[in-house]
Amino acid sequence: DQFGVPYTVLDIAVTSVPSSISDYALIIIGHKQLDTGHVYFSNSEQNRIVNAVALGSGLVNFDNDLSTTGLNARYNYVQDLFDFDYVAHQTGQNVLLSAIAPTHYITNRFVAGQVIGTNPFLSAGIVTPVTATELARIAILAEPILMVTTHGSGRAVQWGSYDWMQTSVKGPVREFDNL
Protein backbone atom coordinates (compact mmCIF):
# COMPACT_ATOMS: atom_id res chain seq x y z
CA ASP A 1 0.00 0.00 0.00
CA GLN A 2 3.04 2.29 -0.10
CA PHE A 3 3.68 2.46 -3.86
CA GLY A 4 1.09 5.14 -4.57
CA VAL A 5 -0.23 3.40 -7.69
CA PRO A 6 -3.29 1.20 -8.22
CA TYR A 7 -2.26 -2.44 -8.16
CA THR A 8 -3.39 -6.03 -8.45
CA VAL A 9 -1.71 -8.76 -6.42
CA LEU A 10 -0.71 -11.90 -8.29
CA ASP A 11 0.27 -14.86 -6.11
CA ILE A 12 2.28 -17.12 -8.41
CA ALA A 13 1.74 -20.04 -6.02
CA VAL A 14 -1.98 -19.88 -6.81
CA THR A 15 -2.27 -18.19 -10.22
CA SER A 16 -0.07 -18.35 -13.31
CA VAL A 17 1.34 -15.17 -14.81
CA PRO A 18 -1.26 -14.40 -17.49
CA SER A 19 -0.48 -13.59 -21.09
CA SER A 20 -2.28 -10.27 -20.46
CA ILE A 21 0.56 -9.16 -18.13
CA SER A 22 1.67 -6.81 -20.91
CA ASP A 23 -1.55 -4.82 -20.36
CA TYR A 24 -0.05 -3.51 -17.11
CA ALA A 25 2.06 -0.35 -17.19
CA LEU A 26 4.17 -1.50 -14.24
CA ILE A 27 5.11 -4.92 -12.88
CA ILE A 28 6.54 -5.00 -9.37
CA ILE A 29 8.23 -8.13 -8.06
CA GLY A 30 8.16 -7.44 -4.36
CA HIS A 31 9.32 -10.68 -2.77
CA LYS A 32 12.80 -11.84 -1.97
CA GLN A 33 13.34 -15.45 -3.06
CA LEU A 34 10.32 -15.35 -5.34
CA ASP A 35 10.56 -19.00 -6.39
CA THR A 36 14.01 -20.37 -5.59
CA GLY A 37 12.83 -23.97 -6.00
CA HIS A 38 11.32 -23.32 -9.46
CA VAL A 39 7.98 -24.76 -8.37
CA TYR A 40 5.57 -22.00 -9.44
CA PHE A 41 7.29 -19.61 -11.85
CA SER A 42 7.72 -21.49 -15.16
CA ASN A 43 9.98 -20.42 -18.02
CA SER A 44 6.92 -19.53 -20.12
CA GLU A 45 5.64 -17.26 -17.32
CA GLN A 46 9.05 -15.62 -17.07
CA ASN A 47 9.00 -15.10 -20.85
CA ARG A 48 5.65 -13.32 -20.49
CA ILE A 49 7.29 -10.80 -18.20
CA VAL A 50 10.21 -10.28 -20.61
CA ASN A 51 7.76 -9.82 -23.49
CA ALA A 52 5.67 -7.38 -21.44
CA VAL A 53 8.75 -5.24 -20.80
CA ALA A 54 9.69 -5.41 -24.48
CA LEU A 55 6.20 -4.16 -25.36
CA GLY A 56 6.50 -1.18 -22.98
CA SER A 57 5.69 -2.30 -19.44
CA GLY A 58 8.02 -1.21 -16.68
CA LEU A 59 9.50 -3.70 -14.22
CA VAL A 60 10.79 -3.04 -10.72
CA ASN A 61 12.42 -6.13 -9.24
CA PHE A 62 13.10 -6.08 -5.52
CA ASP A 63 14.09 -9.77 -5.46
CA ASN A 64 17.84 -9.84 -5.05
CA ASP A 65 18.33 -13.58 -4.57
CA LEU A 66 19.26 -13.97 -8.22
CA SER A 67 21.90 -16.71 -8.26
CA THR A 68 22.16 -20.16 -6.77
CA THR A 69 25.78 -20.13 -5.63
CA GLY A 70 27.09 -16.82 -6.85
CA LEU A 71 27.60 -18.37 -10.28
CA ASN A 72 24.35 -19.62 -11.80
CA ALA A 73 21.36 -17.44 -12.62
CA ARG A 74 18.21 -18.39 -10.74
CA TYR A 75 15.69 -16.75 -13.10
CA ASN A 76 15.62 -16.55 -16.89
CA TYR A 77 13.64 -13.31 -16.97
CA VAL A 78 16.35 -11.45 -15.02
CA GLN A 79 19.04 -12.82 -17.34
CA ASP A 80 17.03 -11.92 -20.45
CA LEU A 81 16.57 -8.35 -19.22
CA PHE A 82 19.95 -7.66 -17.57
CA ASP A 83 22.45 -10.38 -18.56
CA PHE A 84 24.18 -10.33 -15.17
CA ASP A 85 27.36 -12.05 -14.13
CA TYR A 86 27.39 -13.21 -10.53
CA VAL A 87 29.82 -13.22 -7.61
CA ALA A 88 29.39 -14.48 -4.07
CA HIS A 89 27.02 -12.56 -1.80
CA GLN A 90 28.90 -10.21 0.49
CA THR A 91 28.07 -7.86 3.31
CA GLY A 92 28.83 -4.20 2.64
CA GLN A 93 27.73 -0.80 3.78
CA ASN A 94 27.32 2.76 2.54
CA VAL A 95 25.87 3.56 -0.85
CA LEU A 96 27.61 5.70 -3.47
CA LEU A 97 25.42 7.48 -6.04
CA SER A 98 26.72 7.40 -9.61
CA ALA A 99 27.86 10.38 -11.63
CA ILE A 100 24.54 10.44 -13.49
CA ALA A 101 22.48 10.56 -10.28
CA PRO A 102 21.18 14.12 -10.71
CA THR A 103 20.18 13.55 -14.35
CA HIS A 104 18.26 10.27 -13.96
CA TYR A 105 14.63 10.46 -12.88
CA ILE A 106 15.08 7.75 -10.22
CA THR A 107 18.05 9.42 -8.52
CA ASN A 108 17.49 13.09 -9.35
CA ARG A 109 17.06 14.03 -5.67
CA PHE A 110 20.66 13.05 -5.03
CA VAL A 111 24.03 14.54 -5.93
CA ALA A 112 26.62 12.81 -8.12
CA GLY A 113 29.11 10.98 -5.91
CA GLN A 114 26.98 11.43 -2.80
CA VAL A 115 27.54 8.76 -0.16
CA ILE A 116 24.63 7.62 1.97
CA GLY A 117 25.90 6.08 5.18
CA THR A 118 24.23 2.80 6.07
CA ASN A 119 24.57 -0.08 8.44
CA PRO A 120 25.88 -3.34 6.94
CA PHE A 121 23.62 -5.22 4.53
CA LEU A 122 23.83 -8.23 2.21
CA SER A 123 24.52 -7.73 -1.51
CA ALA A 124 22.93 -9.63 -4.39
CA GLY A 125 26.31 -10.64 -5.77
CA ILE A 126 25.71 -9.12 -9.21
CA VAL A 127 28.08 -7.44 -11.63
CA THR A 128 26.79 -4.51 -13.69
CA PRO A 129 26.59 -5.59 -17.33
CA VAL A 130 27.36 -3.22 -20.21
CA THR A 131 23.64 -3.28 -21.10
CA ALA A 132 22.60 -1.65 -17.80
CA THR A 133 23.10 1.72 -16.16
CA GLU A 134 24.29 1.68 -12.58
CA LEU A 135 22.61 4.36 -10.50
CA ALA A 136 24.09 3.43 -7.12
CA ARG A 137 26.61 0.98 -5.72
CA ILE A 138 27.69 -0.44 -2.41
CA ALA A 139 30.68 1.77 -1.75
CA ILE A 140 33.17 -0.67 -0.25
CA LEU A 141 32.26 -3.61 -2.50
CA ALA A 142 31.85 -1.62 -5.72
CA GLU A 143 28.79 -3.80 -6.31
CA PRO A 144 25.60 -2.30 -7.75
CA ILE A 145 22.61 -1.74 -5.51
CA LEU A 146 20.39 -0.05 -8.11
CA MET A 147 20.47 -0.54 -11.90
CA VAL A 148 18.23 0.20 -14.84
CA THR A 149 18.07 -1.12 -18.36
CA THR A 150 15.97 -0.71 -21.48
CA HIS A 151 14.44 -3.75 -23.15
CA GLY A 152 12.45 -3.13 -26.30
CA SER A 153 10.01 -0.33 -25.51
CA GLY A 154 10.11 -0.93 -21.76
CA ARG A 155 12.44 -0.32 -18.87
CA ALA A 156 13.50 -2.48 -15.95
CA VAL A 157 14.88 -1.60 -12.52
CA GLN A 158 16.85 -4.10 -10.42
CA TRP A 159 17.69 -3.66 -6.75
CA GLY A 160 20.95 -5.25 -5.60
CA SER A 161 19.79 -5.74 -2.02
CA TYR A 162 16.51 -6.39 -0.29
CA ASP A 163 17.97 -5.20 2.98
CA TRP A 164 17.77 -1.51 2.03
CA MET A 165 14.11 -1.61 3.11
CA GLN A 166 15.04 -2.07 6.76
CA THR A 167 14.94 1.15 8.74
CA SER A 168 18.33 0.23 10.21
CA VAL A 169 19.82 0.42 6.70
CA LYS A 170 17.90 3.49 5.37
CA GLY A 171 14.60 2.00 4.24
CA PRO A 172 11.00 3.08 4.67
CA VAL A 173 10.70 6.77 5.29
CA ARG A 174 14.43 7.34 5.29
CA GLU A 175 16.88 8.27 2.52
CA PHE A 176 16.27 5.37 0.11
CA ASP A 177 12.58 6.15 -0.01
CA ASN A 178 13.49 9.04 -2.32
CA LEU A 179 14.59 6.57 -4.99
Side-chain angles (χ1 to χ4, degrees):
D1 293 342
Q2 303 299 320
F3 290 115
V5 295
Y7 64 92
T8 302
V9 174
L10 176 68
D11 181 351
I12 63 169
V14 177
T15 307
S16 296
V17 175
S19 57
S20 63
I21 193 79
S22 61
D23 293 344
Y24 290 86
L26 177 62
I27 302 164
I28 299 171
I29 303 208
H31 287 280
K32 183 178 181 179
Q33 299 179 330
L34 181 65
D35 185 22
T36 58
H38 299 286
V39 175
Y40 307 107
F41 200 31
S42 71
N43 285 337
S44 63
E45 291 174 290
Q46 293 182 54
N47 287 337
R48 290 180 192 144
I49 290 175
V50 172
N51 291 336
V53 174
L55 291 171
S57 295
L59 172 74
V60 177
N61 189 14
F62 290 107
D63 187 358
N64 72 312
D65 191 353
L66 303 176
S67 68
T68 54
T69 60
L71 300 175
N72 302 313
R74 197 178 291 282
Y75 303 109
N76 292 337
Y77 79 98
V78 174
Q79 282 308 107
D80 290 346
L81 294 172
F82 285 95
D83 194 28
F84 288 132
D85 286 327
Y86 297 93
V87 296
H89 299 277
Q90 300 178 68
T91 299
Q93 66 186 63
N94 302 329
V95 171
L96 173 67
L97 278 290
S98 74
I100 68 163
T103 62
H104 197 278
Y105 70 95
I106 293 176
T107 52
N108 68 3
R109 293 178 179 241
F110 294 90
V111 176
Q114 179 178 348
V115 175
I116 299 170
T118 69
N119 286 324
F121 60 93
L122 188 63
S123 75
I126 50 182
V127 177
T128 306
V130 295
T131 57
T133 301
E134 184 178 287
L135 299 178
R137 63 179 33 223
I138 303 167
I140 294 172
L141 301 179
E143 233 182 87
I145 188 170
L146 184 59
M147 284 164 292
V148 294
T149 193
T150 301
H151 185 77
S153 297
R155 292 180 176 84
V157 177
Q158 176 65 55
W159 280 90
S161 178
Y162 200 77
D163 293 347
W164 74 268
M165 293 185 209
Q166 299 172 19
T167 55
S168 64
V169 175
K170 294 287 181 172
V173 195
R174 297 198 68 201
E175 286 173 277
F176 288 147
D177 296 305
N178 286 329
L179 297 173

